[in-house]
Amino acid sequence: MTEETLVHQLKEKNSQAKAFEVLVDTYKERLYWHIRKIVLNHDDADDVLQNTFIKVYRNIDKFKGESKLFSWIYRIATNESLSFLKTKSKMLGVTSQELQDLLLENLQSDVYFEGDEIQLKLQKAISTLPEKQKLVFNMKYFDELKYEEISEILGTSVGGLKASYHQAAKKIENYLKSN
């Protein structure tokens, strides 16, 4: 099914339920891992993923087709993830960096985390990055998105993204060498 057909069916009441099933089946795994890299916790990632799909369902008529559906959904997932972390840090009364440290500590005992010591070290390095660099690095390195796709998702120029990715990679490299 083409993206245009899917969007059309999502906006039509009589085909909406079936089209939404297709949408969820198509994007749930990629979105889960994107969200998981931001929130670092399986249960939180599941909650944010569910909230993302609810938002997509409720706002599909606002999708104008100016970007790809995938980019629009990814942007919603990214914003939901960042909002979730902001709310969680306020709820716990900690800074965003303290929350990242806490999430990393919990990652080691997370039964859903299948990484080894090297992956844990990489996650620690990524957690030291500023938010935008972290997002760009994750999307480029792990999700293997093109700069043009990341640009649509984050609303940033390709040149700016390349610079952010380069800076992030350098910081991670330095972190890994010194730790």
Side-chain angles (χ1 to χ4, degrees):
M1 178 182 312
T2 68
E3 191 173 279
E4 286 175 356
T5 305
L6 181 60
V7 171
H8 178 72
Q9 289 181 1
L10 284 165
K11 291 182 178 187
E12 294 294 319
K13 290 293 174 210
N14 61 341
S15 59
Q16 194 174 41
K18 184 73 177 137
F20 194 70
E21 255 181 61
V22 171
L23 177 96
V24 170
D25 286 345
T26 304
Y27 296 113
K28 68 181 174 195
E29 189 172 343
R30 283 181 80 184
L31 285 173
Y32 168 83
W33 287 109
H34 171 67
I35 293 165
R36 177 74 188 266
K37 282 186 237 50
I38 298 170
V39 301
L40 298 179
N41 175 285
H42 168 72
D43 293 332
D44 292 345
D46 272 349
D47 290 346
V48 173
L49 180 63
Q50 186 174 6
N51 291 342
T52 298
F53 281 124
I54 290 169
K55 252 200 176 138
V56 168
Y57 186 81
R58 287 183 179 158
N59 295 295
I60 191 65
D61 20 338
K62 294 177 184 158
F63 176 69
K64 294 176 179 58
E66 294 166 354
S67 66
K68 291 180 184 166
L69 179 63
F70 167 77
S71 300
W72 183 70
I73 295 171
Y74 236 75
R75 186 177 321 127
I76 292 170
T78 302
N79 291 338
E80 284 295 304
S81 300
L82 297 175
S83 294
F84 175 84
L85 289 177
K86 202 174 287 180
T87 302
K88 190 168 185 166
S89 70
K90 280 183 185 172
M91 209 169 62
L92 296 173
V94 296
T95 66
S96 59
Q97 187 55 54
E98 289 170 332
L99 178 62
Q100 281 294 312
D101 294 343
L102 183 64
L103 291 171
L104 277 170
E105 276 179 40
N106 293 340
L107 190 60
Q108 288 177 289
S109 60
D110 187 340
V111 295
Y112 295 103
F113 181 68
E114 297 172 356
D116 55 15
E117 192 62 36
I118 294 168
Q119 294 222 313
L120 194 57
K121 201 171 184 182
L122 177 60
Q123 286 302 321
K124 287 179 181 177
I126 292 169
S127 79
T128 66
L129 298 173
E131 188 174 278
K132 183 178 177 187
Q133 286 179 11
K134 192 182 308 183
L135 289 172
V136 172
F137 184 83
N138 281 334
M139 288 183 198
K140 184 73 182 143
Y141 184 80
F142 291 112
D143 300 340
E144 299 177 351
L145 297 178
K146 295 181 174 94
Y147 285 115
E148 291 74 19
E149 293 172 311
I150 300 170
S151 174
E152 275 188 13
I153 294 164
L154 297 180
T156 307
S157 73
V158 170
L161 292 172
K162 287 180 179 179
S164 288
Y165 182 77
H166 178 73
Q167 291 169 343
K170 278 287 179 211
K171 288 177 183 176
I172 289 170
E173 183 182 338
N174 290 338
Y175 180 92
L176 294 174
K177 283 180 181 174
S178 64
N179 287 301

